[in-house]
Amino acid sequence: MKKIMSFLFLPLLLLMLLFVTACGSSQDSTGQTELPQFDVASVEQAFSSRSSSASPSEEMDGDINQALQDEEDSRDKSLQQQKDQIVGDYIFALSLEQQLHGLAGKWKSQEEVYQFYRQGFSDTLALNLTDYSWSDSMGLISTEPSMFLPDSDVHILEVDLDHNIASVWHLTSSSEQHVWGTSDYTVATLHYEKGQWKIYDTDHRNQLPKR
C-alpha cells in the first residue's frame, strides 16, 4: 500500500516543483510576479507616424510629378519669352523707316540704307524698302511711309520654333488705312535670323486671322 501511495505522489511532487520554478522565474526581487509592460503611448505614436508618412512609392510619384511640373513651367516661360521677343522685334522693324528719315543727313550710300533696313527685314524686303527710300541722284528721298506702327496690340498667330518661323496679326492702323486704303487686319510672317526675328512677308485681310 505504501509503495502504491509513493508511486502516485511522485508525479504530483514533480508537477509542483515545475510550477514553483516557473513562478519563481517570473518574480522580481520583492517576490511579486512581473507581467509584460507595454508603453501604449509609444505604440500609438509609432502607429500614427507610420500611417501619416508617405510610402516610398508615394514619395517617388510626388518627386516625378514635381519634376514634370517644373519642366512644363520652364517650357511655358521659355515660350512666353520667345513670344515677347517676336512682338518686340516686329515693332522694332516697323519703326526702322521712321528712324531712317529721322537721321536723314547720316546716309551716304544705298548700301548703308539697305544694311539699316536689314536689321528688321528679309533681304528681299530690305532691298524693296531701300529702293523706295533712296535715289542715286538725290540720296534719301521723302516718301509716303510704307511702314506703320499698330494702334492696337500685336497678337501671336503661330510660332514654330523648330523651323524658326512665326506669324503675328493686329488691326491695321488708321493712318495706314487712310494713306493706302488697306484692309482691316495686318498679318506678318517672321523668321528667326541671327538672334532676331525679322519680317519676311506682310499681308492685309478683311477678316480676323485664324490659325
Side-chain angles (χ1 to χ4, degrees):
M1 183 67 176
K2 291 182 179 180
K3 292 181 179 180
I4 295 174
M5 292 298 293
S6 300
F7 180 79
L8 293 175
F9 181 76
L10 183 60
L12 181 60
L13 180 61
L14 292 174
L15 182 62
M16 292 177 64
L17 289 173
L18 290 173
F19 179 78
V20 172
T21 302
C23 290
S25 64
S26 62
Q27 291 179 348
D28 61 10
S29 59
T30 62
Q32 296 181 345
T33 302
E34 291 185 355
L35 295 177
Q37 300 296 314
F38 295 97
D39 189 341
V40 177
S42 297
V43 173
E44 290 180 347
Q45 182 178 1
F47 181 80
S48 175
S49 175
R50 179 181 178 85
S51 61
S52 62
S53 62
S55 66
S57 61
E58 290 175 337
E59 292 179 355
M60 183 178 295
D61 289 343
D63 292 341
I64 293 174
N65 291 336
Q66 185 61 50
L68 291 174
Q69 184 62 49
D70 292 343
E71 182 179 354
E72 183 177 352
D73 292 344
S74 178
R75 238 185 352 256
D76 291 342
K77 182 178 180 180
S78 177
L79 181 58
Q80 186 58 51
Q81 289 174 341
Q82 288 284 357
K83 289 181 177 180
D84 292 342
Q85 183 181 357
I86 290 168
V87 173
D89 289 350
Y90 177 68
I91 297 295
F92 169 75
L94 294 181
S95 72
L96 287 176
E97 186 176 35
Q98 184 177 352
Q99 293 183 50
L100 180 82
H101 288 279
L103 301 170
K106 175 182 178 180
W107 315 109
K108 305 301 181 183
S109 68
Q110 185 179 28
E111 178 64 21
E112 287 182 346
V113 175
Y114 163 77
Q115 291 297 338
F116 186 76
Y117 274 128
R118 192 70 177 90
Q119 295 178 92
F121 295 90
S122 68
D123 175 67
T124 300
L125 288 182
L127 286 172
N128 292 340
L129 289 167
T130 299
D131 290 341
Y132 183 70
S133 304
W134 183 267
S135 168
D136 289 338
S137 60
M138 300 174 60
L140 192 67
I141 57 178
S142 179
T143 61
E144 291 286 0
S146 61
M147 295 291 159
F148 297 81
L149 292 174
D151 297 332
S152 61
D153 292 337
V154 177
H155 304 275
I156 300 293
L157 188 61
E158 187 173 5
V159 179
D160 185 349
L161 297 179
D162 292 332
H163 297 90
N164 292 326
I165 299 175
S167 57
V168 299
W169 72 271
H170 57 85
L171 294 173
T172 303
S173 72
S174 56
S175 297
E176 184 174 359
Q177 288 183 311
H178 175 74
V179 173
W180 298 107
T182 47
S183 300
D184 293 336
Y185 299 96
T186 299
V187 178
T189 301
L190 301 92
H191 290 201
Y192 191 67
E193 181 183 308
K194 296 181 180 180
Q196 188 166 355
W197 292 91
K198 299 184 179 182
I199 300 175
Y200 269 61
D201 185 42
T202 57
D203 184 26
H204 295 89
R205 304 178 187 179
N206 290 318
Q207 297 182 340
L208 179 68
K210 296 181 180 178
R211 293 186 61 178

